[in-house]
Each structure stands twice: as structure tokens, then as C-alpha cells.
Amino acid sequence: MSPDPRPPTTATPAPPAAAGAGTHAQPDTEPDTDYTVAVRALCDFTAKQGDLDRRFTPSATALEGLQGQQAVARARGPGYETEIALEGRWGRLRVRGRADGYDPRRQCLEEVKTIRGHPDELPANRRRLHWAQLQTYGALLCRQRGLDQLTLALVYYDVASQGEVVLRQVYGSDELQALFDDRCAAFAAWAQQEARHRAARDAALAQLAFPLPQFRPGQRALAEAVYRAATGRRCLLAQAPTGIGKTLGTLFPLLRAMPGQGIDKIAFLTCKGTGRITALDTLARLRQASPGQTWRVLAMVPKRQGCEHPDRACHPEACPLARGFYDRLPAARAEAVALGWLDAEAQRRVALAHGICPYHLGQELLRWADVLVGDVHHYFDPGGQLFGLMQALDWRLAVLVDEAHNLAERARAMHGAELGSADLQAAAQQAPPALAGALGALQQALAGLAGPANAAKPGYTLLDPAAEAFDAGFKPALQAAAAALSDHSHRQPLATGALPALHFALQRWLRLLDKLGEHSLLDLQAPGPPAGEGAPPAAAPLRLSLRNVLPAPFLRPRWQALHSATLFSATLAPPGHARQVLGLADDSGWIDLPPAFPPEHLQVRVAHGLSTRYPDRDRSLLRLVDRVAQQFDQHPGNYLAFFSSFDYLDKAAAALALRRPDIPQWRQDRAMGSEARQAFLARFEPQGRGLGFAVLGGVFAEGVDLPGPLLIGAFIATLGLPPVSPVQTAVQARLAQLLGTDGAGADLVPAMQRVVQAAGRVLRTPQDRGWLWLLDDRYAQPRVRDLLPPSWGLAPAAPSAAA
């Protein structure tokens, strides 16, 4: 890719004024640049006042909102218009949006708000915002259709009861136009500022230079592929090895494509926190090299990090930073956008200077930032705010997904849910008497799923969602308990503890049950030790799980809504598997870049005749540690050894300590905080010698950078397959059914991705050299070898026993 890969930008002529625009009040001085704003954004900016109040939670999802609108439309009968596109101008400000429904016979314009509960429970400032949106749509409709009078109807549709509450008011067209003029006038100065910002941003990005003297090997090819995906409005899968500079190689071309493609925002989404740090560092370097440093970068901070008072509920009576939030927001917002660089610390500093919540300031700033950096859940979670705002405000969004091999597992977690009898018991201990009946009924319904014969018998049961015990027993009890908890949380807001945790868990269940299909499994587990001798039998604790097996149906509409997306990782092959599991289009692009370092720098060895299969582990343990010790003796230095579980890790570490106490070793623990993780990594010293034991797929298996002598080799004493269990057997069977492959094969792809990620810790710079030992004879099998990098040079071998 050349330093200037984008096509020349052409000026876009101003759209024609809406009908009747010349007959209404216009600004005395017009902005010198056109600015388009969605009705929702205009009203969010001008009509929000007073306190921040999150007591009426949770709101309906985007899907539930669409279903609510459809239900209202069906009830209206023939002639009812839906999704009415509206647009009008105020000076050079263009306001546009889509009204939910219009009945021309009654001259009634409707705005449908899908909620959970009764509208009387909504905070007053939220109801005012809803009226402001409807009034704005009304003004645009009157101008568009020449109406003198219009009935406005605010329709609140409760997803739980599927009932409506309709609030109506009749307005004259002049009255609606006056309200519209006032809102546009209040927004005009900001619109002029934002229009100028957009023009300056695009001009700066058009001249953005690559910040290094030259591209790394393979980095130019990656950048060109990302740029082509953006200009072609496609998705791209990019398998790029360690050391190529993936973060810079994806951000730079997408920033360059931004002006020519009219992209509103870029989101750099990560599956792990370390990727966000790298992205912000790269963006800081690019921004410093950009003329004027005009574009804005925002870190999307998780609530647990951004909330100043996590022990308090989010409403004005509990949290001082919620009182008068929207009254103080304008000054804080103006200061923040003037800064431009909005990492977590900057957001906190600005927010506290104005006496408002840092986390919710960050949520507001999403609207005004150009580049967003955050976790994948902001876009892909069912309640992800980034996706919701993109849809509501009609953004053209381009996404980069870092370490995308983790996205499938993250997405499965986003679209799964659990509920245990222990959770209900803990919540019941905190609950007031008014909730006892609903929680008790839910506890009984959960026990009923196991059946009376299984009440004290541990085991695993795959449930049929259509069975009477679930559909007619558990679901109504779940809905009743969720409604009771929602009502209680509105009257007595909850901050922390088992009761609010159950409240949000039940709401999650409600949302996911509506989407239950073949892509997910419903199962019940009753683990638990047998009763002690002489003790009466006790019911085993129950855990109901909704497990998403194939996230594709949930992710597909998210990809389709984007301008473009690039998913990159060192381990994405085979691309067909990624497309199937992640729901990507069949024509999604694919690029597989060669290693950044010479293949001979990594010496890869397979331990033939050594099995780490579960039944063989005790017999092969001494041979395994002897192989490790032999490598250490021949090439002393720092090594990492990866195992499938903590139990296996502990056995191997203990065996090595007995056999070779002279070899220093340190271990990953089951619950390591940040300080313990740093201490583990600190043991890898430039002149050090020793062995760090870690779990494959854990925190030390990817995202760890130990260049040069800090790490000279790795042992992988597992194939990375999940342990055999009833749950895994059911998951394999469902995957085989959905993907048309054998279930074990579906497990093998992510297993080999974990192996390659762990191996990637060894070579971090072009000067590095190291060793990789694959301590299992199954690595010689063709189907395993075919999923490993060709650069490893594994010689073909006759197939051994089944993996």
C-alpha cells in the first residue's frame, strides 16, 4: 500500500431543503458547513435535564423494541404506515429520522417505546425525552405532508404483559414547529463545532503518514487488505503472525479510509485487556503524527472500573454524582471533546471536576468520539450500547476485532445464562418478605425440572424446552420472579449482593429464552457429594444452564450492520470454520500472512511415543519431565510449560521438583491477582534459568511478551482438547449437527488455536531464537498437523491412535 492509498475526496453537495423550509424561522448566522443529526441525537442533546436515574432497569433490548413496534403495528389494522422516513432542514442543519407509525385516517403519529413495567415508573426526565422525540417527528411530518394539526401518541409497550399504555396530545403545526426551532437553535452552535471538527478530522486523516520509517515484513500486505475491505464494505479475516505489527497494520489503513468512505467511527474491539493497552499506545503515536491532532479517541471503560461508588445504586438519592448529572453534563462534555484524547484517566478527571459520574460521562461521549477502544461486549453483547447507538443514530461504523480467535467463546458466554439453587437461596436470605413467594415458587420450579426421583441424585440432564415442566412450570415462575424483583428494585434500588445479582440474572434469562433455538442447549446439573454416613439424604445443588453452542445466529446481524469489519489474530485458520461459527458472509475476505521471522529461528519437536491422554498421564509423567529436563540441560534458559489443567500442572511440577530439584520453577495458581501475575512474569529475567508452569488457554498463554533471553522455549504437554464430560459430549453432538462435521473435529480447531497462541510466546523479535516441544504423540497425526503452521516443518507421520 502506498503512503496515500485512498481515492480523492469529492465534495458532497448540500441536500435540498425540505418542503416548506423557507416559511419557518431560521438561524441568524448559519454554520459554514452542513451537519446532519438524527432526531434522537438532537433530543438527547437538548431535552435531557436533571438527575441520572437508572432505577427503571433493565430496558428492553433492541430486538424486543423491534418486536414491540411490530406488535403495535399489527394491532392498528390496514392503512397504518410504519417506519416513516422524515427529514427537514434548519439553516444548514439537516435533521432526519424514522417515526414508528402513522395512522393517516386519524392523523395520529405514534412513537413506540418498548419497556418492562409501567410508564409511571419511568423517571420524569426520561418521559420528557420521549415526548421531545415525538414532537420533533411531528414537526417534520407536518412540514412534509402540509398538515395543520396532528395528534401525537406516545405508546408504551410492556414486553412482559404485552399490553399498551397510550398517552395522546393534539398539537398545531405552528406549535410543533416552534418546539423544533427551539431545539435546533439550542443545538446549532454544537452542530457548527462538530461540522468543523469532522472537516478537520477528515483533512488530517487524508494526510496521515505511516509513523515508522518502513513497514515490517507482511505489515504492508495486511494494511492493503484492511483498506480494500473498508473500501469494498466487506468483512476480512486476517491471520497474521506474531511480530508483524497487527495493531498498527490494521488501524493505520482504516484511519486513512475514513474520509473517503464517509465512516463516522472506528471501533477497535478486543477480547482481552492487554489488547486495549496496545491499541491506545498505537493510537497515541498515530495521533501525535496527525496534523493538528484533531481526531478524538475514547476508551470505553467498563463500569467496574469507571464507577466511583460501586457500593451505591445509580440514582440521585444514593449517589451524589447522579444528582443533577444532565444539568452539569454540557460543560463536562465541552471540556472533554476539546481534549480529544479520552482515556480512562482523562474521563475521570473531567467528570469529577464537574461533579458527575465518570462512567456515564464516557457513555455520553461515545456519540462524539471518532475512534473507540474497548471490549467486544460493547458491540456484540445483546445489550451492547455501541450497537444500540449505531442503530439508533444511523452511524457508519467500521470495526477491528483483535485476537479474534477468542470471539466465539466470548460470544457464547454473552448469549448464555446460568441459574443455581444456591443463587436463589442466597438471594432469599437478603429478600424482604414481599419477595418470598415469588422466589420460593421459582426455587420449586427449578427443583421440578429434576423431577422428584432425581432430587438427591447428582447427574446431568439435557432438557427439552418444550417439555411441560419447563415451558409451563419454570418459565412462568421465572417471569413472575423477574417482575417482582424488577418492581422491588425500582422502589428500593439495589447496589450489591445476591439479590441484585439475581435480578440481573433473571432479566438475562428472559431475554435469551425468547431466542432459544438449535444454536443453544438447555441442561440441568446436580453436582454434589453423597450424604455423609448416617446423615439424611440432601438434595444436590441444582444448576440450570442455557449454553450457546453456535454464536453465528446472534453475530450475523451485527456484521451485516457494519460498514466493514476486520477480524485478526495469529490463529484464525481454517477460514471456513471461522465463517461458520462467527456467522460471517461466505464472501468474507481471507489473508494468511507468512511468519515475520525466519522459520529456522524456531526449532519444533514432537515427542513421539509420549501420550498425555487422561488415562495415560500417570504412566507417562516421568518420561515427560525427563524430556523437559533434557532440553533444559542442553539449552539452559527460561522456559514456559503449558498443561491442560491445574491438577496436571501440579503433578508435573511436583514430579520435576523431586527428580530435578536443581531446576528453578514457579507456577500459575488458580486465582492469581494482578500482583501475582506480575510476580510470575518477573521471574523471567535476562540471565535467568528456570521453568514457569502455566495452563494452556490461560492468562500466560497469549498476550505475554517475553523477548530475547527472557524466554527461549516452551513445552506444550496437552493437545488442548476440552476434558471429556457429559456437557462436552452434548456440545460436540450439537456442533456436529449444526456444522455438518464430527464434534471432535469442531473441538480440534480451537484447541490448535490455543496451542499456536501459546507457541507464539517464544519468538517476539526478528533476533529471537527458541525451541518448541509438543509433548504428545497425537501431534504427528495428519488431521492435527494440518491445523498447525506449515512453517513449523512437522514431517508427515503415520496416524496414531485417535485424538
Side-chain angles (χ1 to χ4, degrees), residues 397-415:
L397 178 68
V399 161
L400 299 171
V401 182
D402 186 21
E403 300 295 355
H405 63 279
N406 288 310
L407 182 58
E409 207 55 42
R410 287 293 309 277
R412 288 182 178 114
M414 292 175 201
H415 296 91

Side-chain angles (χ1 to χ4, degrees), residues 252-279:
F252 171 69
L254 196 53
L255 287 166
R256 289 297 302 268
M258 224 174 165
Q261 292 299 305
I263 296 171
D264 297 310
K265 299 181 190 299
I266 291 172
F268 188 100
L269 304 177
T270 69
C271 295
K272 297 199 173 182
T274 52
R276 295 192 286 281
I277 297 171
T278 305

Side-chain angles (χ1 to χ4, degrees), residues 118-135:
H118 194 277
D120 289 347
E121 298 172 330
L122 282 169
N125 59 357
R126 202 178 304 185
R127 292 198 300 272
R128 284 197 300 270
L129 176 63
H130 295 164
W131 274 112
Q133 293 171 355
L134 182 53
Q135 290 161 354

Side-chain angles (χ1 to χ4, degrees), residues 727-740:
V727 172
Q728 191 57 31
T729 300
V731 168
Q732 283 187 350
R734 183 60 58 87
L735 275 175
Q737 173 189 338
L738 296 174
L739 300 181

Side-chain angles (χ1 to χ4, degrees), residues 6 9 197-198 201-202 205 226-234 250-267 295 369-372 390 394-400 562-565:
R6 55 180 289 280
T9 305
H197 164 75
R198 177 67 173 255
R201 182 204 80 175
D202 286 353
L205 291 177
V226 173
Y227 188 82
R228 285 194 299 269
T231 56
R233 304 195 64 171
R234 298 175 65 202
T250 53
L251 275 169
F252 171 69
L254 196 53
L255 287 166
R256 289 297 302 268
M258 224 174 165
Q261 292 299 305
I263 296 171
D264 297 310
K265 299 181 190 299
I266 291 172
W295 37 285
D370 302 305
V371 183
L372 311 169
M390 183 199 72
D394 197 24
W395 289 339
R396 186 173 290 186
L397 178 68
V399 161
L400 299 171
L562 292 169
H563 174 86
S564 70

Side-chain angles (χ1 to χ4, degrees), residues 339-598:
L339 286 176
W341 182 260
L342 296 165
D343 58 8
E345 180 54 38
Q347 292 175 53
R348 182 176 186 271
R349 184 173 64 252
V350 172
L352 296 183
H354 293 271
I356 63 175
C357 170
Y359 170 72
H360 285 285
L361 172 62
Q363 301 288 288
E364 293 291 332
L365 293 174
L366 276 175
R367 296 161 172 80
W368 314 111
D370 302 305
V371 183
L372 311 169
V373 179
D375 187 79
V376 289
H377 85 270
H378 291 288
Y379 185 78
F380 294 105
D381 189 83
Q385 189 192 28
L386 178 57
F387 176 74
L389 283 174
M390 183 199 72
Q391 294 284 87
L393 303 181
D394 197 24
W395 289 339
R396 186 173 290 186
L397 178 68
V399 161
L400 299 171
V401 182
D402 186 21
E403 300 295 355
H405 63 279
N406 288 310
L407 182 58
E409 207 55 42
R410 287 293 309 277
R412 288 182 178 114
M414 292 175 201
H415 296 91
E418 289 191 346
L419 180 64
S421 55
D423 304 327
L424 291 170
Q425 291 166 3
Q429 292 175 357
Q430 292 185 5
L435 292 176
L439 295 183
L442 182 57
Q443 183 81 283
Q444 284 186 336
L446 180 61
L449 294 176
N454 296 328
K457 187 187 300 180
Y460 173 85
T461 306
L462 195 60
L463 300 177
D464 178 4
E468 183 176 357
F470 184 83
D471 192 53
F474 179 79
K475 281 181 67 175
L478 175 72
Q479 292 164 344
L485 267 173
S486 183
D487 183 64
H488 174 73
S489 69
H490 174 70
R491 291 172 172 75
Q492 299 182 39
L494 308 167
T496 59
L499 199 58
L502 180 65
H503 167 56
F504 289 111
L506 296 189
Q507 296 297 335
R508 184 180 185 86
W509 269 97
L510 285 179
R511 293 177 178 182
L512 291 174
L513 283 178
D514 289 341
K515 308 168 191 175
L516 191 59
E518 290 186 339
H519 48 67
S520 299
L521 294 174
L522 188 67
D523 62 50
L524 186 72
Q525 289 177 287
E533 185 176 354
L542 300 173
R543 180 150 293 273
L544 180 67
S545 298
L546 180 60
R547 304 178 194 276
N548 176 242
V549 174
L550 186 67
F554 297 109
L555 299 183
R556 188 173 294 111
R558 302 293 169 107
W559 302 123
Q560 293 169 345
L562 292 169
H563 174 86
S564 70
T566 294
L567 298 81
F568 60 99
S569 167
T571 51
L572 282 177
H577 178 84
R579 292 187 185 105
Q580 275 189 299
V581 172
L582 297 177
L584 294 162
D586 292 340
D587 65 349
S588 297
W590 166 252
I591 183 172
D592 186 6
L593 296 161
F597 315 130

Side-chain angles (χ1 to χ4, degrees), residues 84-399:
I84 305 101
L86 297 170
E87 183 176 307
R89 294 184 64 83
W90 193 86
R92 298 187 69 172
L93 179 66
R94 183 173 63 159
V95 182
R96 66 184 184 188
R98 288 184 178 273
D100 290 334
Y102 177 61
D103 187 343
R105 295 170 301 175
R106 297 183 296 123
Q107 285 192 201
C108 179
L109 182 68
E110 295 187 325
E111 176 73 3
V112 181
K113 297 297 182 184
T114 306
I115 62 174
R116 292 181 180 275
H118 194 277
D120 289 347
E121 298 172 330
L122 282 169
N125 59 357
R126 202 178 304 185
R127 292 198 300 272
R128 284 197 300 270
L129 176 63
H130 295 164
W131 274 112
Q133 293 171 355
L134 182 53
Q135 290 161 354
T136 304
Y137 286 128
L140 295 174
L141 184 71
C142 286
R143 290 172 62 178
Q144 186 168 296
R145 303 200 180 187
L147 304 176
D148 295 327
Q149 182 175 285
L150 184 64
T151 299
L152 301 184
L154 196 53
V155 181
Y156 287 104
Y157 181 85
D158 180 15
V159 295
S161 67
Q162 298 186 357
E164 297 178 20
V165 174
V166 183
L167 309 178
R168 293 186 179 86
Q169 190 166 345
V170 178
Y171 287 86
S173 60
D174 290 342
E175 185 180 5
L176 290 172
Q177 184 61 42
L179 292 170
F180 179 79
D181 291 341
D182 289 344
R183 289 192 183 100
C184 290
F187 186 68
W190 187 270
Q192 181 176 355
Q193 169 192 293
E194 290 304 291
R196 289 174 174 164
H197 164 75
R198 177 67 173 255
R201 182 204 80 175
D202 286 353
L205 291 177
Q207 302 173 40
L208 184 64
F210 192 69
L212 299 177
Q214 60 185 12
F215 288 95
R216 293 183 185 179
Q219 195 176 41
R220 178 186 292 272
L222 173 62
E224 289 174 346
V226 173
Y227 188 82
R228 285 194 299 269
T231 56
R233 304 195 64 171
R234 298 175 65 202
C235 287
L236 170 69
L237 287 162
Q239 181 162 274
T242 298
I244 203 173
K246 294 186 285 289
T247 304
L248 179 58
T250 53
L251 275 169
F252 171 69
L254 196 53
L255 287 166
R256 289 297 302 268
M258 224 174 165
Q261 292 299 305
I263 296 171
D264 297 310
K265 299 181 190 299
I266 291 172
F268 188 100
L269 304 177
T270 69
C271 295
K272 297 199 173 182
T274 52
R276 295 192 286 281
I277 297 171
T278 305
L280 287 170
D281 289 344
T282 303
L283 285 165
R285 192 182 344 163
L286 283 163
R287 192 169 179 270
Q288 287 167 3
S290 176
Q293 301 186 26
T294 54
W295 37 285
R296 302 169 186 154
V297 176
L298 176 75
M300 295 185 285
V301 181
K303 188 170 185 180
R304 65 180 180 276
Q305 179 184 346
C307 179
E308 288 289 307
H309 302 292
D311 58 332
R312 302 183 185 183
C314 202
H315 68 91
E317 295 168 20
C319 180
L321 299 180
R323 287 195 289 271
F325 176 89
Y326 291 110
D327 299 330
R328 293 192 289 273
L329 174 62
R333 178 173 55 210
E335 181 180 342
V337 299
L339 286 176
W341 182 260
L342 296 165
D343 58 8
E345 180 54 38
Q347 292 175 53
R348 182 176 186 271
R349 184 173 64 252
V350 172
L352 296 183
H354 293 271
I356 63 175
C357 170
Y359 170 72
H360 285 285
L361 172 62
Q363 301 288 288
E364 293 291 332
L365 293 174
L366 276 175
R367 296 161 172 80
W368 314 111
D370 302 305
V371 183
L372 311 169
V373 179
D375 187 79
V376 289
H377 85 270
H378 291 288
Y379 185 78
F380 294 105
D381 189 83
Q385 189 192 28
L386 178 57
F387 176 74
L389 283 174
M390 183 199 72
Q391 294 284 87
L393 303 181
D394 197 24
W395 289 339
R396 186 173 290 186
L397 178 68
V399 161

